[in-house]
Structure formats: C-alpha cells, structure tokens
Amino acid sequence: MKNASLFKCLDDALPLDKGKLFAVTGNLSIFYLFIFLPAFFKDATFTMYQMVPGGPMSAVAGTAPVKQNLTRDRRPLLGAGALGLILIIAAVAAWCYYIASLAKAGMLKTELLDLNRDGFLIRNQTGAIVFRMAFRSGNLDLDSCSKEGEILSCTRSSTGSLNFFIQTVRPKDPVMCYRVRWEELASENPVEHAMSYNGSHWYGGAETSIQHWPISITGQQTPTPFVTSDVYSSRHSFGGILERYWLSSKASAIKINDSVPFHLGWNDTEKVLYFQARYQDSPYKPTPGQPPFAELSYRVCVGSDVTSIHKYMVRRYFNKPNKVPSMDMFRYPIWSTWALHKKDIEQEKLVSYAANIKKYNFTCSQLQLDDCYTSGYGEFDFDPVKFPNASDMFQKLKADGFHVSLWIHPFINYDSPNFRVGVEKGLFVREPTGQLPALVRWWNGVGSILDFTNPAAREWFGSHLRALRSKYGVTSFKFDAGETSYLPSQFSTYVPLNDPSTFTRRYSEMAIPFNDRAELRVGYQSQNISCFFRLIDRDSVWGYELGLKSLIPTVLTISILGYQFILPDMIGGNVYPNYTEGSGKLPDRELYIRWLELSAFMPSMQFSIPPWEYDADVIEIARRFTALHESIVAPRVLELAGEVLATGDPIIRPLWWIATNDETAYKIDSQFLIGDDLMVAPVLEPGKQERDIYLPTGRWRSYKGELFDNKDPVHLTDYPVDLDEIAYFVWV
C-alpha cells in the first residue's frame, strides 16, 4: 500500500510539470522510467500470484492461491524494477530539495534585499547593487529563519542564539527602507557588520582633523567608540560634531540607532567600514538591570538619487532648529579677541580693538571677548586687575553700538573658590563610586567638569550666565569644549549615561536661552538648538589638516549631518605656534586673503586677526568682501535659513546636489553651492591666480559677466582669478 500510495502521488504530480522533473533528473531514460514504472509495477504486482483449484480457500472460492516460480526472463525485469524504485526515491529527494531550495530562496528575499548567511545586499529599482553589508561576528543559520509579512527573522547564528530581523518599510515611493537588528541573546561578544564602499562615494559621520569630501580614510582602524572628542588636541579621534549617519553616491543611506553601543572602524585595503556594538572595554554602559548583550540595529534606505534620499533621511530622522538666529549674525562679521591677543587681553586692549573696527569702517554683529577675562578658571566675573571698570567698559561699548559675547566653558579648576562650592553641592561628574568628584585635565589646567545631567548643576551654571547678562548687558556666550573626551575614563553622573555623547547633548542645551547669538563647537543630536555651530580651531596653514583646504569639506560634512547655521572659525586661523605659515605673529598674507574671500561666502564671517595688521590693500579687500557678503550672500543665506526650519536641507551644498548623475560632481571638494543657484570656486593653493573650475549643466553667469550655456558639464581650465577675487557663478 505504501508503494502504491507513493506511485499514485507521483503519478498525480507528474502531469503538472514533467519538464521540471526532467530538469531535476537530468537524464532522459530516468525521466521515462519515472513516468512508466508506476504502471509496470502495478501489473507486475498482480501477475506474481494466480488462483488455482484445491487450495485452502476452495470452500469459499472453489480455488486456492498457489505461488508459482518466476520464470527466468522475469528476473531481470524485477531487478530493473528495483533499480527503478531506487532511482525514483533519489528523484523524489532531489525534487523535494529543489522545491525546498526555491522556497528558502524566496523566503530570504524581501523586496530589493537578498539575505545570505554571511550578509545581505540591496538593489535599486533598476537591479543594480547599491549597498552591501557583511556579518563579521557570526553567520546566520538559515534553517532558523522564517518570514512573516514584511519581517524576515532568524533565531540562531554560528555563535548561538540571537534575535535577528530585517523589516521592510515602504515610506514613500521610490524610497525603500529596511530596519536591521542583530541582538545577541546568550553571548557578551561584540556584534560587528562590515559595510562595503561598493564602488560608491560616501559622506557624513563626523568632523575630523584631516577632512576630505567624499570620505577618504587610509590604513586600518579597529572599531573605537564613536563619541565626541576634541579633534584639535587628539587628531586621530572623531570630532566634536558627529552623527551616526552616512550617505552614498549610489543613493543609499544608513542611520545607526541611538540605542547601539556604537564603535566605528575601517579597512582601506578591503574598502569597508566596520560597525560594531559592544560593552566590553567601552565607555558605553548597558541599561541597569539588563545583561550586557550587544545589539547592532540600524536603518538602510535606498532611493532614486543621492539628493532625494538625503532629503528623506533628514526629514525623517534629524532634529530641526525651531528658529533662525539673529539676522545680524548672518549679515555682519563677528570680531574675536582670541587669535590677536590670546590670553593677554585686558580692558584697554578690548576697547582699542572695538575702536579700530569703527575707525576702519567695518561692521560688527558682536564683539567676542575670549579666554582669560576672569581671575581663574571657574570664576564668573571679571578680573578686577585686568578689567578695573568692567561696568563702565560695557556701557561705552554699548553706546558705540557693540554687542559683547563672552567665552565660557564647563570646567571648574581645583584652585578656584567655586571648586569647593561644586563639591559641597554635588555639581561635578564623579568617579565611579559616586563619592568624590572626578578630576580631569584640559588645556587650561586640572579641575572638575560640571555634570549637566544634574538639574542642580544646570541651574547653578545657568544662573551665573544670567547674572553676567543682567549685570553687564552681555549679549551671549561662546560655549567652548563639551566633548566627551574631557570626561574621565571611568565616571558616574547624576543621570547614568548609556551613551557618553549624551553629555555633549546636555551641555549644548545650555546655549538654548542665549541661542540668538550663541556659539557652540560641539553637536550630537543637537540640530534643534538654534545657534551657530563653529568648526574646531583651524591652524594658519593651507592644507587639509585643519587648514584652509579643510574648510569646504568640513562645512559640507556637518551640513549633511543637519547643522546648517555654521561658523567657519576665524579668518586666517588661530596663529598657534608651530602651526602657522607666515611670520609667526600673523598668518601668511596670501593665505589670509584667500581665507577671507572664502569666508565671505559662508553663512557667517569671523575676524580675529584684523585686516589693518597687514596693509591698505588688505584692508580694502576686506571691506569689499564684507560688503559683498552683506549684499549678495547674506540675503540668500537668510532665505535658505528660513527653509531649514521645515526641511533641514543644507544651506551650503555639494555640487552633486543639482547634478545627481554626474560622477565628477561627487568628488569635487573645492567648490560648493549656496542653495541651488550660487556656485563658488575659491583659490586654495599658494601662489596661484588661476584654477580649474567645474560647471554643472545649465546656464551660468560668472562674476565677470560671462555667460555659460552648458548642455553638458564644462571644465574651465586655468580660469584666471586674481588675488583680490573669488570665482563665483549665478544660475541664470
């Protein structure tokens, strides 16, 4: 009966598609044998016995069954039948495996994503592969995978139990997104995935000391904590402005979830970025009461072009500012005392600096009094020796039309009278037991850092800033530091920090009451804070390492990360010893002029080394470019700044923003757009009065009045740009 049922099942199945059966067996004779053997065995079974008279059943049937010997010519046939049965079983097994393979392959494919045991890939609507991710911490056991609706999940890997899923999300045509999660359930081992460059150009991540556009990383780096750091003092770290977001020229983007204990590494030889989640040997901490099992989760979205997919990601995942800072900050330059006077600042020098701004007929949005105006680090009033009549000084500056902002920081040095206050009130970040304040070293000494997760510390700090505003009429503050690299290696806070960069977020929130004119140099999930975000200090050099060439790549990078109100630091750099091209007291004259010209096309300008430290020609160039900024650049920037509140779109944009299918545009790091219709091409090389310029398709009018009507992109080779000029083109 069993054989008969099997044969009937096969016989019933064969008419459905014998072509597939032949494809599985791969042999014509086996194919025919598979078709005709059921009929043969049916006949053979009933001819092996026949009824004969005189048997035990004769009383009923009148005959008895008698077994007869098979004839010699029947034996080969029986052998062939047995062989056929074996072949049938093999064919059935092959067919079942084939069907199971098809089913599994279908199950491990969801929309445009293909999942394998060692990773997954995503295609775009045309079928091209636009994203690849490899699993480095283990391979999936595909037999543990299942699919229900839009969710494909697996429960085992080569390392043990896990919670893995990929969920397809269709937010908006033609965007397709995938939520990916790999959570270890029985192991404290790290979870690591490797994202391939996949022949793409990548953007985003973090401010760095050597900034390139697109990202250009050399060598190899094991995954390290992706947290905010002072990239000026620690030049191989990630910078003070960062987000867990990367964007590809192939119209794919990835956003790492906030809950992930995220570490980033890379391998330039293999062309991959390593995304790792771990708690061991890491500043990240698991939620109290939860086992330290790592989870790596992220969202990958693909679209039709790089601009549209970025617009979607910004609208969906980034905070937006809720107001535009003071219009004056966009129109007129800031003047800082730092690069000119450093710590050697006192009342007479500040008043003289302000007087020269008016004497040389420059405008000023605010006068910024930088480091060392107090008697100690941790004090919140003026040093009576250096500023003997601070109240009178502020009244005079106000009468002369100056707004004054002050440099501020989160440290209280151990020799400050306020250090004891902080200890008694429990205002500081503490050592791990929580019993004692933790000491930290920063660039101005040793002390403790205020714990901005503590409401009491926030109120104490804020009250001192409000007192300065009330007593002297201080307009706002330059909030310096705030990076997690200034936290102790082991510490505790009032509110536990699972992610140490949350400290940066809490510090940046202190600028909110003053955000009309405030300045920050750190940002992490801080795009909604409506103040200016300053690039880390620049050196007075030409190159990509914190020099002039780094300005455009850095501004473009933090723009892609959602920070649009950008202050590109001081014109000419900070004139630090051993990091200055020039006399040592002043930046190189040519460098200063080229820096000035570029800054005039940024959202805001900032002087410290004043033009009158050079000569009459430099003064005239500075006047002309501050006027150009006010008349041409600022109106465009302010219009775009209003749009940022709703869209988060960059004010300063890469060329590919309007040329999404142009491979050359993806690699240009020395030109940029303001909006869609003003393209800027500064000279960034010493000794040059010409440069190559790339004009995207369209009608462009140069600053010289030339009209370029391009049906295709155009390269302008050795385009002349005098020392007192910057090349820019307006979309006609």
Side-chain angles (χ1 to χ4, degrees):
M1 262 322 270
K2 185 176 180 182
N3 285 344
S5 299
L6 175 61
F7 297 147
K8 183 178 185 304
C9 178
L10 292 171
D11 199 38
D12 290 342
L14 283 170
L16 295 177
D17 195 340
K18 294 183 175 63
K20 285 186 178 178
L21 175 61
F22 177 67
V24 174
T25 59
N27 185 292
L28 188 61
S29 62
I30 295 175
F31 171 68
Y32 282 118
L33 188 60
F34 190 53
I35 294 174
F36 294 118
L37 271 176
F40 162 74
F41 268 89
K42 183 177 180 183
D43 293 338
T45 301
F46 290 104
T47 57
M48 290 171 67
Y49 293 85
Q50 65 179 356
M51 303 299 290
V52 298
M57 296 294 292
S58 60
V60 177
T63 59
V66 176
K67 186 174 180 180
Q68 296 184 341
N69 292 329
L70 294 172
T71 62
R72 184 180 300 274
D73 57 350
R74 290 272 186 147
R75 291 174 182 171
L77 189 58
L78 181 60
L83 178 60
L85 179 60
I86 295 171
L87 292 173
I88 290 171
I89 294 171
V92 170
W95 175 250
C96 292
Y97 180 79
Y98 174 68
I99 294 298
S101 298
L102 289 177
K104 179 65 71 175
M107 186 190 71
L108 299 181
K109 184 176 179 64
T110 173
E111 294 296 339
L112 304 174
L113 182 146
D114 293 344
L115 175 66
N116 299 299
R117 61 191 299 271
D118 56 356
F120 65 90
L121 59 85
I122 302 175
R123 305 176 190 274
N124 62 15
Q125 297 289 348
T126 67
I129 297 173
V130 296
F131 187 88
R132 291 180 184 271
M133 185 73 84
F135 305 145
R136 285 175 53 87
S137 49
N139 293 326
L140 291 176
D141 179 353
L142 298 184
D143 289 333
S144 74
C145 299
S146 61
K147 185 177 181 182
E148 183 174 347
E150 301 291 352
I151 299 178
L152 197 165
S153 59
C154 306
T155 59
R156 293 192 308 273
S157 73
S158 57
T159 60
S161 299
L162 83 160
N163 174 19
F164 174 86
F165 72 79
I166 296 178
Q167 180 181 11
T168 304
V169 182
R170 301 175 178 83
K172 179 182 178 183
D173 191 54
V175 175
M176 185 71 73
C177 294
Y178 303 90
R179 294 178 58 217
V180 182
R181 174 174 176 150
W182 181 306
E183 179 185 13
E184 292 288 345
L185 297 180
S187 169
E188 298 183 6
N189 293 332
V191 178
E192 185 174 314
H193 294 178
M195 184 181 76
S196 170
Y197 294 2
N198 194 41
S200 303
H201 305 291
W202 286 89
Y203 314 91
E207 178 184 20
T208 56
S209 62
I210 302 176
Q211 199 90 48
H212 291 286
W213 180 271
I215 294 171
S216 176
I217 301 174
T218 58
Q220 300 179 17
Q221 174 64 57
T222 57
T224 59
F226 193 69
V227 296
T228 58
S229 300
D230 180 350
V231 79
Y232 191 87
S233 61
S234 181
R235 299 205 173 193
H236 296 291
S237 300
F238 307 112
I241 298 175
L242 57 73
E243 299 292 335
R244 302 169 169 199
Y245 172 69
W246 287 266
L247 175 69
S248 155
S249 60
K250 291 188 177 179
S252 61
I254 182 169
K255 176 76 168 60
I256 309 296
N257 287 359
D258 297 340
S259 60
V260 174
F262 182 52
H263 299 68
L264 179 68
W266 57 84
N267 186 319
D268 184 50
T269 303
E270 297 180 1
K271 304 298 181 187
V272 294
L273 293 178
Y274 299 137
F275 296 156
Q276 187 189 81
R278 76 169 191 264
Y279 289 111
Q280 291 74 30
D281 188 28
S282 171
Y284 295 97
K285 305 300 177 188
T287 302
Q290 297 296 318
F293 296 161
E295 168 210 324
L296 181 59
S297 55
Y298 47 87
R299 291 170 173 83
V300 181
C301 294
V302 297
S304 58
D305 63 78
V306 62
T307 301
S308 63
I309 195 64
H310 176 68
K311 286 184 176 183
Y312 168 77
M313 297 296 286
V314 169
R315 284 156 177 74
R316 177 67 180 84
Y317 297 116
F318 285 1
N319 297 318
K320 314 292 185 304
N322 54 30
K323 60 181 290 189
V324 177
S326 168
M327 291 185 179
D328 285 353
M329 296 282 286
F330 292 96
R331 290 178 177 140
Y332 313 124
I334 301 165
W335 296 79
S336 169
T337 62
W338 174 247
L340 180 64
H341 292 298
K342 301 292 191 300
K343 294 183 180 182
D344 187 24
I345 185 64
E346 42 85 22
Q347 183 170 320
E348 184 178 342
K349 290 180 179 179
L350 179 62
V351 172
S352 175
Y353 190 55
N356 280 331
I357 294 171
K358 293 180 70 69
K359 173 183 174 181
Y360 290 101
N361 297 316
F362 285 98
T363 54
C364 176
S365 62
Q366 67 184 27
L367 186 63
Q368 194 172 85
L369 177 56
D370 213 288
D371 191 359
C372 216
Y373 60 87
T374 63
S375 55
Y377 295 109
E379 307 305 298
F380 293 90
D381 208 343
F382 287 87
D383 182 341
V385 175
K386 301 178 76 173
F387 294 87
N389 299 298
S391 295
D392 292 344
M393 178 189 73
F394 271 90
Q395 289 180 6
K396 175 175 172 49
L397 291 172
K398 183 178 180 180
D400 289 340
F402 289 98
H403 296 274
V404 181
S405 68
L406 299 179
W407 175 78
I408 201 72
H409 57 84
F411 306 102
I412 309 293
N413 277 11
Y414 72 91
D415 56 355
S416 165
N418 278 328
F419 186 80
R420 181 173 181 175
V421 174
V423 172
E424 292 174 349
K425 293 179 178 291
L427 304 180
F428 298 134
V429 172
R430 295 171 173 262
E431 45 77 43
T433 68
Q435 300 300 310
L436 297 172
L439 292 179
V440 298
R441 181 176 296 279
W442 64 298
W443 66 90
N444 277 328
V446 176
S448 287
I449 187 167
L450 289 166
D451 180 0
F452 293 102
T453 73
N454 185 345
R458 294 164 70 92
E459 172 57 29
W460 184 83
F461 184 71
S463 68
H464 282 290
L465 303 189
R466 293 192 297 272
L468 286 166
R469 184 169 62 181
S470 175
K471 183 176 181 179
Y472 298 109
V474 172
T475 303
S476 192
F477 298 92
K478 171 186 177 179
F479 291 83
D480 214 352
E483 296 90 349
T484 62
S485 57
Y486 287 110
L487 293 172
S489 57
Q490 299 291 326
F491 66 91
S492 63
T493 49
Y494 182 85
V495 176
L497 296 177
N498 296 343
D499 178 354
S501 289
T502 305
F503 181 86
T504 293
R505 165 73 190 178
R506 296 292 168 259
Y507 176 62
S508 65
E509 290 169 349
M510 299 306 300
I512 291 176
F514 313 97
N515 59 13
D516 233 23
R517 292 171 175 268
E519 172 188 322
L520 283 162
R521 83 173 196 187
V522 292
Y524 177 66
Q525 302 173 5
S526 308
Q527 298 94 336
N528 63 321
I529 298 176
S530 303
C531 68
F532 278 88
F533 288 84
R534 174 177 66 88
L535 308 191
I536 193 68
D537 297 17
R538 301 288 115 172
D539 289 326
S540 300
V541 297
W542 288 92
Y544 283 103
E545 184 173 351
L546 298 178
L548 177 59
K549 286 184 180 179
S550 72
L551 281 185
I552 296 174
T554 306
V555 169
L556 289 174
T557 296
I558 65 175
S559 292
I560 288 296
L561 299 179
Y563 298 89
Q564 311 308 342
F565 308 142
I566 299 171
L567 185 59
D569 202 38
M570 301 168 193
I571 292 169
N574 286 263
V575 203
Y576 291 129
N578 303 320
Y579 293 98
T580 298
E581 294 184 17
S583 65
K585 295 182 178 180
L586 294 175
D588 174 76
R589 181 179 184 273
E590 181 187 7
L591 174 66
Y592 182 86
I593 292 171
R594 292 304 191 192
W595 207 306
L596 164 65
E597 293 164 353
L598 173 55
S599 293
F601 285 83
M602 289 291 163
S604 186
M605 299 179 69
Q606 185 177 37
F607 285 101
S608 184
I609 299 296
W612 54 84
E613 290 290 315
Y614 291 94
D615 52 53
D617 287 342
V618 175
I619 294 171
E620 180 55 34
I621 293 170
R623 286 193 190 122
R624 184 152 50 85
F625 276 94
T626 53
L628 183 148
H629 176 85
E630 182 181 345
S631 61
I632 294 179
V633 178
R636 277 180 167 81
V637 168
L638 282 167
E639 180 182 356
L640 294 164
E643 296 174 6
V644 167
L645 308 186
T647 67
D649 289 347
I651 294 173
I652 305 299
R653 301 173 180 175
L655 260 60
W656 53 249
W657 193 266
I658 61 170
T660 57
N661 295 319
D662 190 337
E663 175 66 19
T664 301
Y666 289 129
K667 298 179 286 187
I668 291 179
D669 68 350
S670 63
Q671 298 175 221
F672 61 93
L673 296 163
I674 302 176
D676 290 345
D677 60 356
L678 179 57
M679 196 271 288
V680 186
V683 174
L684 305 175
E685 298 279 353
K688 296 287 187 179
Q689 296 197 28
E690 67 282 323
R691 65 155 293 164
D692 294 343
I693 295 175
Y694 184 77
L695 278 181
T697 302
R699 288 170 58 85
W700 298 91
R701 189 180 301 279
S702 78
Y703 70 106
K704 299 176 181 180
E706 307 152 305
L707 182 63
F708 299 89
D709 191 356
N710 310 333
K711 291 183 173 57
D712 295 300
V714 170
H715 290 269
L716 305 178
T717 305
D718 291 334
Y719 186 83
V721 186
D722 291 341
L723 180 58
D724 63 346
E725 295 179 333
I726 185 172
Y728 64 93
F729 301 77
V730 178
W731 181 280
V732 180

